[in-house]
Amino acid sequence: MNVATSIGKVDYDGLIPNNVGLGEDVRVKRALEKWHPGYIDWWKDMGPEGFQESLVYLRTAVSVDPKGWAKFDYVKMPDYKWGILLAPQAEGRTIPFGAHAGEPAWQEVPGEYRAMLRRLIVIQGDTEPASVEQQRHLGKTAPSLYDLRNLFQVNVEEGRHLWAMVYLLQKYFGTDGREEAEALLQRRSGDADSPRMLGAFNEKTPDWLSFFMFTYFTDRDGKMQLEALAQSGFDPLSRTCRFMLTEEAHHMFVGETGVTRVIQRTCEAMKEAGITDPDDIPRVRKLGVIDLPTIQKKANLHFSLTLDLFGNEISTNAANAFHAGLKGRYRENRLTDDHKLETSTYPVLRLIDGKIQNEDAPALSALNMRLRDDYVNDANVGVGRWNKVIESFGIPFQIKLPHVAFNRNIGEFSKVKADVDGRQMSEAEWASHRSDFLPNEQDKDFIESLMQPQYEAGKFASWIAPPKVGIDNKPGEFEYVKIA
Ligand SMILES: [Fe+2]
Ligand SMILES: [Fe+2]
């Protein structure tokens, strides 16, 4: 059997559904079966709290055919089939960039880059269970069964993404891969002794507006990282990430439409009450909806936390990973330069003599900056759609992404304080204006007061509009979760 046909076939009956021929790969199959109980323990410990026995209408990946890769059915989350699915192998694929550009893509780990590659996989892998941990309390306050189901769909798929990375570690990295796979189950989001590896994944996701902002902004960082890794010269990583991107699209859909529905409901309520001033916060809040300035503050928070995930603007690690052919640029295959970047430059926004300005840097060193720029452009598209909704109600307000220097903890701008327009401030000014830009205690308390569960099929909490269409074309009153 050649590789191409074996890829199309999914073994769905065993403990671990897969299209990687696990049945014939006894060593890796055993390693994964050994890892599985620890994973289930982790899921029960750190996965969605209080809903492990509920039947959830979930999609499960059963194929990698873009036209029909998922099937929908009721399933208890611990029984979800977390499969290992790689996008089909492209015949004759070559390394798309870096020092080895044009050579055949690696099917095995290139020895000289082993440590670097393992680290990239571990960092990606660590984010997947982290978000499940961050979101584990949200079921208790779900604004509808539709939203509850979407939360759980995102959660089980992040679980599958962990499986995807663990497969690569177990298959290609021997003993240290096995140790890393174990460690992925040991770290905990927000834990003082053993936190997750990246800052934004140790923050709380305390309420549903945060959840929607997280899936919009932070899952979109996931998308950018996966896009960059999907370009990898290490073919198994590329194929893994390409399939993960199919699922990731739904996570961002949940985020974008979630925020849209919050905005929609706020605008409707304002219109019904005859309120035209978006800054009349007390009156708007009395309506049981979230005022637009607070939605803006949440966006400011999640956007700035997510920018930190791109790392330092100037980075030797990023340069090395590109040069080695391991991690490419966003849509590398559509770019038309030499794909080596040894002589080109890229404009990087830096702090020079205390001023925020562009400076040309060697393009290889500026790859984090470049990916972040692509991210900001991508994130702006949905913001434009949010503003269309506000505009359609004639309310004079626009959601804006803050300046990249705002509220940063990593990189060039971590050394300064800046407002949402990038104007630098003293520490004292920042302290007195912080709560103009970021949610303050009253904002948090108000949002928390709205977080009352609505578990009646077809009903929605006061602060969010129903979706335009159901999941899997189900009607409005469909019972997406049968709560046990
Ligand atoms: Fe993911
Ligand atoms: Fe995701």
Side-chain angles (χ1 to χ4, degrees):
M1 192 175 8
N2 72 37
V3 180
T5 50
S6 75
I7 289 311
K9 203 172 156 345
V10 176
D11 168 6
Y12 191 67
D13 297 325
L15 179 65
I16 307 161
N18 71 89
N19 69 349
V20 293
L22 212 52
E24 291 102 67
D25 196 342
V26 181
R27 184 189 64 81
V28 177
K29 185 165 180 266
R30 284 218 185 107
L32 288 169
E33 283 171 355
K34 243 179 115 181
W35 185 80
H36 184 258
Y39 171 80
I40 294 294
D41 285 348
W42 167 80
W43 179 269
K44 288 184 173 167
D45 259 19
M46 296 310 293
E49 196 188 345
F51 295 88
Q52 303 284 351
E53 291 301 309
S54 298
L55 286 168
V56 188
Y57 192 71
L58 293 174
R59 72 175 183 190
T60 303
V62 292
S63 133
V64 291
D65 181 344
K67 283 182 240 105
W69 58 274
K71 82 175 176 69
F72 287 82
D73 206 351
Y74 283 107
V75 50
K76 287 185 189 172
M77 284 183 280
D79 301 334
Y80 189 78
K81 290 240 181 183
W82 283 285
I84 295 163
L85 298 161
L86 274 59
Q89 186 166 7
E91 209 64 54
R93 179 168 182 261
T94 55
I95 298 166
F97 57 88
H100 303 279
E103 296 172 21
W106 295 298
Q107 299 305 327
E108 296 294 332
V109 174
E112 60 198 301
Y113 304 134
R114 192 169 186 281
M116 209 193 304
L117 185 56
R118 189 186 61 211
R119 179 146 180 91
L120 288 171
I121 293 169
V122 168
I123 291 175
Q124 180 61 41
D126 193 67
T127 66
E128 312 290 356
S131 64
V132 177
E133 293 164 358
Q134 289 169 294
Q135 295 160 14
R136 66 184 302 255
H137 303 296
L138 290 172
K140 283 184 255 173
T141 55
S144 72
L145 292 183
Y146 167 87
D147 291 291
L148 188 61
R149 178 262 167 214
N150 284 350
L151 166 71
F152 294 157
Q153 184 70 60
V154 171
N155 292 161
V156 293
E157 285 175 352
E158 300 306 3
R160 204 199 68 75
H161 292 176
L162 172 60
W163 272 92
M165 293 298 118
V166 163
Y167 167 73
L168 294 177
L169 290 169
Q170 303 269 24
K171 164 97 181 157
Y172 295 100
F173 292 90
T175 312
D176 41 336
R178 204 152 53 238
E179 283 163 11
E180 295 286 12
E182 278 310 315
L184 284 166
L185 294 177
Q186 304 307 323
R187 287 184 289 272
R188 292 284 182 271
S189 175
D191 191 282
D193 301 322
S194 176
R196 291 293 172 186
M197 298 169 87
L198 303 173
F201 290 92
N202 288 301
E203 297 285 334
K204 287 204 161 60
T205 311
D207 58 70
W208 277 78
L209 183 53
S210 273
F211 170 65
F212 294 135
M213 291 292 181
F214 185 98
T215 40
Y216 185 77
F217 288 113
T218 309
D219 281 71
R220 189 176 306 276
D221 160 70
K223 166 187 161 177
M224 302 309 287
Q225 304 299 338
L226 291 176
E227 288 273 8
L229 293 172
Q231 302 287 341
S232 183
F234 180 54
D235 207 39
L237 177 60
S238 164
R239 291 169 51 207
T240 300
C241 292
R242 269 184 276 150
F243 186 65
M244 288 163 76
L245 281 163
T246 317
E247 292 162 314
E248 207 58 54
H250 176 68
H251 308 179
M252 279 168 293
F253 160 86
V254 169
E256 182 178 334
T257 56
V259 176
T260 301
R261 290 162 51 218
V262 176
I263 291 173
Q264 167 96 21
R265 185 67 205 110
T266 299
C267 295
E268 281 167 7
M270 286 174 68
K271 193 178 174 193
E272 283 157 24
I275 302 171
T276 49
D277 177 6
D279 292 314
D280 194 349
I281 293 172
R283 275 184 75 204
V284 174
R285 287 187 177 181
K286 275 207 191 94
L287 305 171
V289 296
I290 305 172
D291 52 281
L292 297 173
T294 299
I295 296 173
Q296 173 72 63
K297 285 186 194 179
K298 281 277 196 185
N300 292 346
L301 175 65
H302 288 273
F303 178 71
S304 56
L305 284 172
T306 303
L307 291 184
D308 281 343
L309 292 172
F310 290 87
N312 285 311
E313 287 82 350
I314 302 292
S315 162
T316 318
N317 283 346
N320 289 342
F322 184 90
H323 186 72
L326 300 181
K327 184 178 176 184
R329 288 171 291 178
Y330 182 55
R331 298 185 171 161
E332 183 76 42
N333 52 347
R334 298 191 203 172
L335 301 173
T336 52
D337 56 22
D338 71 354
H339 302 283
K340 291 182 187 283
L341 306 182
E342 274 155 19
T343 53
S344 50
T345 61
Y346 187 84
V348 175
L349 205 55
R350 305 198 68 171
L351 203 59
I352 300 164
D353 301 329
K355 287 203 191 76
I356 296 170
Q357 48 192 297
N358 267 318
E359 182 184 67
D360 278 342
L364 263 180
S365 310
L367 284 162
N368 284 348
M369 175 75 202
R370 181 177 182 129
L371 194 61
R372 197 185 77 193
D373 283 344
D374 288 329
Y375 167 82
V376 173
N377 290 336
D378 200 58
N380 253 318
V381 176
V383 175
R385 287 193 280 259
W386 295 340
N387 286 329
K388 285 249 158 55
V389 175
I390 303 173
E391 203 186 300
S392 73
F393 284 87
I395 297 169
F397 193 92
Q398 278 203 322
I399 307 275
K400 276 197 217 94
L401 294 182
H403 193 277
V404 293
F406 169 77
N407 191 38
R408 298 297 306 282
N409 289 302
I410 288 181
E412 264 322 276
F413 306 115
S414 58
K415 303 163 230 165
V416 293
K417 294 284 180 260
D419 71 7
V420 288
D421 299 316
R423 195 183 64 84
Q424 288 186 59
M425 310 173 98
S426 68
E427 288 285 343
E429 270 181 292
W430 169 257
S432 66
H433 285 286
R434 188 179 191 282
S435 72
D436 299 342
F437 308 131
L438 293 169
N440 59 30
E441 289 312 310
Q442 292 95 300
D443 299 328
K444 288 180 199 169
D445 289 348
F446 171 69
I447 292 176
E448 205 189 299
S449 75
L450 293 181
M451 296 296 128
Q452 306 298 330
Q454 176 50 273
Y455 296 144
E456 207 177 311
K459 293 254 167 85
F460 291 81
S462 67
W463 53 271
I464 189 164
K468 283 207 176 75
V469 282
I471 293 293
D472 193 30
N473 291 316
K474 293 296 175 203
E477 66 284 4
F478 184 73
E479 193 178 10
Y480 287 100
V481 182
K482 297 184 180 177
I483 295 177

